[in-house]
Amino acid sequence: MADSPFLLACRGLPAPRPPVWFMRQAGRSLPEYRATKGTANILAAVARPDLAAELTLQPVRRYGVDAAILYSDIVVPVHAAGFGVEIVAGVGPVVERPFRTAADLDRLPPFDADAQAPYVAETVRLLVKELGPVPLIGLAGGPFTVASYLVEGGPSRSYEHMRRLMWAEPELFAALLDRLADYGLASLRAQVSAGAAAVQVFDSWAGALATEDYEAHVLPSLRRMLAGLADLGIPRIVSGVGTAELLGLFVDAGADVVSVDATITLTEARRRTGGRVALQGNLDPWVVALAPWPVVDQRARAVLASNGGHPAHVFNLGHGVRPETDPDVLARIVDLVHDGR
Amino acid sequence: MADSPFLLACRGLPAPRPPVWFMRQAGRSLPEYRATKGTANILAAVARPDLAAELTLQPVRRYGVDAAILYSDIVVPVHAAGFGVEIVAGVGPVVERPFRTAADLDRLPPFDADAQAPYVAETVRLLVKELGPVPLIGLAGGPFTVASYLVEGGPSRSYEHMRRLMWAEPELFAALLDRLADYGLASLRAQVSAGAAAVQVFDSWAGALATEDYEAHVLPSLRRMLAGLADLGIPRIVSGVGTAELLGLFVDAGADVVSVDATITLTEARRRTGGRVALQGNLDPWVVALAPWPVVDQRARAVLASNGGHPAHVFNLGHGVRPETDPDVLARIVDLVHDGR
């Protein structure tokens, strides 16, 4: 498996073909996903290893992508720990009693992944048997993004409570993020122990903050989380939306691979990261979902051209596959990346 | 008036004091605004020169800012031309019959600002008498942002119809944006004729696009609009949210001043614009709305420090004043910028 194109590219080593996978490749854009999952709640589906494994495998079978990503959710650890987080269909994660004061830290005792969410490692074990040479990527939420649900009480566009807490009580904010970094770390270590070959930290909403706030208030917890994985020797990918200004900080925090959104070219991303890490990305998911094929083709080739044949590149979208995406378009992109046709 | 700190800074010339104003300084954060405007619809208020002038003057009186910005809205020209745009309280601009096909271009005949929206120039004339040495900034929407309301039918987070049109029918998309550039241009020329000393083009949602899409599909219309103002010799400011990657393109299109959001430092913005233009910004409006004063103070000083005393800087927020902002905080920021205390 160390010879897999994905793992080679993550390490900046030449691979027999350029690797490609898609964030949210397992999900609503696939008819087989909709048929298999039905109306099951996401957290209920995650807790069923047979079902979660099947949903993980579907896009690997269909597309022949170079990596699988565990079917899971970033709120799984806090849900499993009993913080009172549910995922409401059409809304997202919703928290019964939001985190607002220091007393709420007591509601986040140390997380024991194997005892509190054993189904995650079980799914990973099922998958590594099935996947053979295809690496499985484990996942966790970034501390800022998980905290945003806990503090806001649900999805937010403004992150108003988060900002107030961050500026008015920076020590409590830091304590919360450190606690959540430990949750993510415990979950990721369990996933790697069970056989995950790489991990991705989704700090999806990190781009909502000014760079100096991210650096001062969030980066220490991300660094803590990534440092806690260092001894495992697996590639640590960090991703987010609107994070083009944060790429250098992700590298400083210990990322081995940074996911690049569609706002900048890979050339520029390589400049911002000082060429110190591998890049993942960065085809615009809106192009894939909405544009005619000739535009998709031209833009996919532009991503490859911007990379300029650099080995440290994993082809992907700038962020997740849109639900309205035609799977046949993704299949054509895989062929284009693999065969240059 | 040519000696005003604001106009000097726009031209990169040393001013007796650093100029400051705030995007959305006239608006819901002011109790006198809420009292004067009452429940009047924005477009109805804009059409009453006495009222629009009063709302424009309120923040100048209260804060002693170095520029006034015309109380208006970016949809005024398309509304006045009868496209069927209204502003719904709590929602934003809503369009009865969205723009979807080439036939809809006929609904955008050439705009005659003095005949179709005479109240705008009348408000400007009232204002320049009242303002004395304080310059008035005229305003128009950027072609992309105005088009987004016409095509989507209202505010959007995804711009799905816009993207489809842009990629599937790029010539029609370009024709629409050129038409709207001419609307904005006609409105701005009328405002300058009536006495506005500078103009700002609000391409607020430009940051929703990948840079290459903005360059290929939007930039030509922005260039057309700015070029149509060149003979007037007034500073042309361009602003938007999430546009840190577009600053260089704004300069290429003819901007004299670019507004910088809070995601990057002024040092970095100066690098991205090659030092060819003046910068406006870039204190985080969320800090101003939500943070305790010591944090606001520290961050306002960080903006000044990042500018490093460069004359080509107009202090402002990264984008508009949040409605929940305490006006006393803005007053303290004005004092800090003016007096360094």
Side-chain angles (χ1 to χ4, degrees), chain B residues 2 6-13 197 233-235 256-257 278 311-312:
Chain B
F6 168 76
L7 291 174
L8 288 169
C10 286
R11 298 179 197 289
L13 299 172
I234 43 88
D256 303 300
V257 184

Side-chain angles (χ1 to χ4, degrees), chain A residues 16 53-54 86 128 133 187 192 196 198 207 266 304 306:
Chain A
E54 169 60 20
E86 294 297 336
V128 291
S187 180
V192 174
L266 292 179
L304 293 168
S306 180

Side-chain angles (χ1 to χ4, degrees), chain B residues 6-12 21 137 198-201 226 234-240 247 250-251 254-260 270 273 276-281 312-316:
Chain B
F6 168 76
L7 291 174
L8 288 169
C10 286
R11 298 179 197 289
W21 70 281
I137 305 170
V199 297
Q200 181 157 328
V201 176
L226 297 176
I234 43 88
R236 296 161 295 177
I237 311 169
V238 176
S239 69
L247 298 180
F250 290 165
V251 177
D256 303 300
V257 184
V258 296
S259 206
V260 181
R270 198 154 266 131
T273 55
R276 293 173 288 162
V277 296
L279 304 180
Q280 180 171 277
H313 177 228
V314 176
F315 196 100
N316 206 315

Side-chain angles (χ1 to χ4, degrees), chain A residues 211 213 245 263 271-272 299, chain B residues 211 213 245 263 272 299:
Chain A
T211 305
D213 281 318
E245 307 302 338
T263 57
R271 191 190 68 75
R272 292 186 190 183
R299 295 287 282 269
Chain B
T211 306
D213 282 317
E245 307 301 338
T263 56
R272 292 187 190 182
R299 295 288 281 269

Side-chain angles (χ1 to χ4, degrees), chain A residues 157-158 160 163-164 167 210-213 244-245 262-264 271-272 284 286-287 290-292 295 299 324, chain B residues 157-158 160 163-164 167 210-213 244-245 262-264 271-272 286-287 290-292 295 299 324:
Chain A
R157 294 179 65 180
S158 60
E160 197 169 323
R163 295 180 203 273
R164 284 188 195 277
W167 290 318
T211 305
E212 58 205 293
D213 281 318
E245 307 302 338
T263 57
I264 60 171
R271 191 190 68 75
R272 292 186 190 183
D284 187 345
W286 287 109
V287 168
L290 303 178
V295 176
R299 295 287 282 269
E324 62 270 37
Chain B
R157 292 179 67 181
S158 60
E160 197 168 324
R163 294 180 203 272
R164 284 188 195 277
W167 290 318
T211 306
E212 58 205 293
D213 282 317
E245 307 301 338
T263 56
I264 58 171
R271 192 190 68 76
R272 292 187 190 182
W286 286 110
V287 168
L290 303 178
V295 176
R299 295 288 281 269
E324 62 269 36

Side-chain angles (χ1 to χ4, degrees), chain A residues 244-330:
Chain A
E245 307 302 338
L246 304 179
L247 298 181
L249 294 178
F250 290 165
V251 178
D252 292 344
D256 303 300
V257 184
V258 296
S259 206
V260 181
D261 72 19
T263 57
I264 60 171
T265 63
L266 292 179
T267 310
E268 174 65 12
R270 199 152 267 132
R271 191 190 68 75
R272 292 186 190 183
T273 54
R276 293 173 288 161
V277 295
L279 304 180
Q280 179 171 277
N282 72 338
L283 181 60
D284 187 345
W286 287 109
V287 168
V288 177
L290 303 178
W293 173 255
V295 176
V296 181
D297 180 86
Q298 177 256 315
R299 295 287 282 269
R301 289 178 198 278
V303 169
L304 293 168
S306 180
N307 182 58
H310 200 298
H313 176 228
V314 177
F315 196 101
N316 206 315
L317 306 188
H319 44 102
V321 173
R322 304 275 325 156
E324 62 270 37
T325 301
D326 177 353
D328 290 345
V329 172
L330 293 175

